[in-house]
Amino acid sequence: MTKTIQSLTPSAISSAHGLIKPYIHKTPLLTNTTLNNLASTPQSTESLQGTEWAGQAPANPTIRFFFKCENYQRVGAFKARGNHAQALALAAQTLHIPAYVVMPRISTVSKISGTKGYGAEVIFSGSTSTEREAVVAEVQAKTNAFLIPPYDHFDIICGQGTTGLEMQGQYAALVAEKPDLSVYGDRAEVQLDAVITPVGGGGLNAGVATFFSDKSTKVFGAEPSFEGGDDCRRGLLAGERVQAVKTLTIADGLRTPVGVLNWEVISDGSKVAGVYAVTEAQIKAAMRLVLERMKVVVEPSAVVGLAVCLFNEDFRRMVEKEAPEGWDVGVVFSGGNTTVEAIGKLFT
């Protein structure tokens, strides 16, 4: 049977979870009072100077965070649930088959060494999707290998969507045990109000949105705005998928355009409620908070969702307007593939 957009259902996510559960970690769901307080305090008028919200009264939402820490996943990222350079190499090693992985030359040292460490042959390309696709074609011609795409595929979307399945179950158990963690207190709900994930190729966001598509939870996406890295947000405004992206944002995991199948999900307003963008400075500020206040190691791509909740006034005003009592928000920390040296360069 051909797998189409109609086949992307919550039950498909559940089926994928049953298949991959023996091979992945069930990553923790963490909370943090300091970040809750920061998100639930209006930004200073000074911090809004020079932005599109300058001169306007800052938003004052109430937010309680629940962080799904996929940085603790095997290979250090959510993509162990679907596809990623290191995850693909690990799967090939497990099945005793060769793997050829095309990676941009500017990939972080830790990602390159991790991929090689699982036994894959790494072939380098330029940093744009067009350059990578050209090298992929060359490798296939030489090796007769079949291509496993990084995000634009039914099975990959389903695998990555299991992040949402686990998050929701963990949230329900956590607030049942400790209702004070929720904005609802003793009236704690069993359903998250919202979930926000990073958007690069869109597999994670499309998968999570698919899982929550029959529930009341709203799903949002987050992107870097640097050099047009917010292709998904711009595409939604234009009503058409942006097919190419050229950005050197520090959120290096989000430098790709949204895939075709992924776009069909994300552009459906009944599944994804909106996509928001943040600046490089805001990404770094969010990353610093996670490192210093949560003591959790994350890469820049992982914190764009948190940055939206903390700094994007459009998002914050929407929360304030829709939920005067506040929202319980699930935030996916998508990965932690970075190094001490890379972190040091960001904050020098």
Side-chain angles (χ1 to χ4, degrees):
M1 182 182 73
T2 302
K3 295 177 179 178
T4 65
I5 186 69
Q6 288 76 26
S7 305
L8 278 172
T9 62
S11 62
I13 305 297
S14 297
S15 296
H17 191 249
L19 289 173
I20 68 175
K21 189 176 180 180
Y23 305 103
I24 61 172
H25 297 322
K26 184 177 182 179
T27 56
L29 190 71
L30 302 183
T31 60
N32 187 272
T33 301
T34 299
L35 292 181
N36 289 344
N37 291 339
L38 286 171
S40 304
T41 301
Q43 298 189 79
S44 67
T45 54
E46 291 79 10
S47 68
L48 298 181
Q49 294 301 316
T51 74
E52 59 191 285
W53 305 292
Q56 301 177 21
N60 188 20
T62 299
I63 295 174
R64 296 291 178 269
F65 288 123
F66 297 83
F67 299 102
K68 181 61 169 167
C69 295
E70 287 293 288
N71 52 304
Y72 294 136
Q73 186 55 263
R74 296 190 73 180
V75 308
F78 75 94
K79 289 192 175 181
R81 300 173 181 273
N83 177 57
H84 177 263
Q86 294 176 70
L88 178 63
L90 174 60
Q93 184 185 69
T94 302
L95 297 173
H96 306 292
I97 59 176
Y100 309 91
V101 178
V102 176
M103 300 179 71
R105 295 183 185 87
I106 60 174
S107 298
T108 60
V109 174
S110 61
K111 290 181 180 179
I112 295 170
S113 61
T115 304
K116 290 181 176 179
Y118 288 118
E121 180 179 337
V122 174
I123 301 97
F124 293 108
S125 72
S127 59
T128 69
S129 57
T130 301
E131 291 170 312
R132 290 195 300 273
E133 289 164 6
V135 174
V136 165
E138 293 176 7
V139 173
Q140 286 186 277
K142 292 178 181 177
T143 65
N144 291 320
F146 62 89
L147 174 64
I148 300 180
Y151 47 81
D152 197 5
H153 190 279
F154 177 93
D155 292 334
I156 290 166
I157 293 172
C158 289
Q160 294 176 2
T162 63
T163 306
L165 182 152
E166 285 187 7
M167 173 188 278
Q168 173 53 43
Q170 290 170 302
Y171 164 79
L174 189 58
V175 297
E177 179 183 356
K178 299 178 179 180
D180 58 307
L181 294 175
S182 168
V183 295
Y184 302 102
D186 291 335
R187 297 179 292 109
E189 301 289 327
V190 296
Q191 197 72 38
L192 282 157
D193 293 301
V195 172
I196 187 165
T197 84
V199 176
L204 175 63
N205 192 257
V208 169
T210 296
F211 172 73
F212 284 109
S213 61
D214 63 349
K215 302 170 181 63
S216 61
T217 302
K218 294 181 181 293
V219 175
F220 298 91
E223 294 181 294
S225 60
F226 184 68
E227 294 181 338
D230 56 341
D231 62 289
C232 187
R233 186 193 68 82
R234 292 185 291 111
L236 290 174
L237 288 174
E240 184 178 9
R241 184 178 75 93
V242 175
Q243 298 184 28
V245 178
K246 293 184 179 180
T247 175
L248 292 180
T249 173
I250 57 173
D252 63 320
L254 309 180
R255 292 174 178 170
T256 55
V258 175
V260 175
L261 182 58
N262 315 63
W263 175 256
E264 289 193 55
V265 177
I266 297 171
S267 62
D268 183 342
S270 69
K271 295 180 179 178
V272 176
V275 176
Y276 296 84
V278 285
T279 67
E280 302 291 273
Q282 291 167 339
I283 293 170
K284 287 196 285 187
M287 186 174 175
R288 180 186 288 274
L289 286 168
V290 174
L291 293 170
E292 295 182 350
R293 304 301 178 90
M294 293 186 69
K295 317 303 180 188
V296 171
V297 177
V298 287
E299 59 187 278
S301 301
V303 299
V304 289
L306 173 60
V308 165
C309 296
L310 293 174
F311 305 120
N312 187 291
E313 282 290 289
D314 287 340
F315 179 85
R316 291 171 60 78
R317 288 179 181 183
M318 180 269 299
V319 176
E320 181 182 19
K321 180 180 179 180
E322 291 204 9
E325 190 174 20
W327 264 1
D328 287 351
V329 179
V331 177
V332 179
F333 284 163
S334 53
N337 285 309
T338 187
T339 64
V340 172
E341 291 77 13
I343 292 172
K345 288 180 181 179
L346 285 175
F347 297 105
T348 53

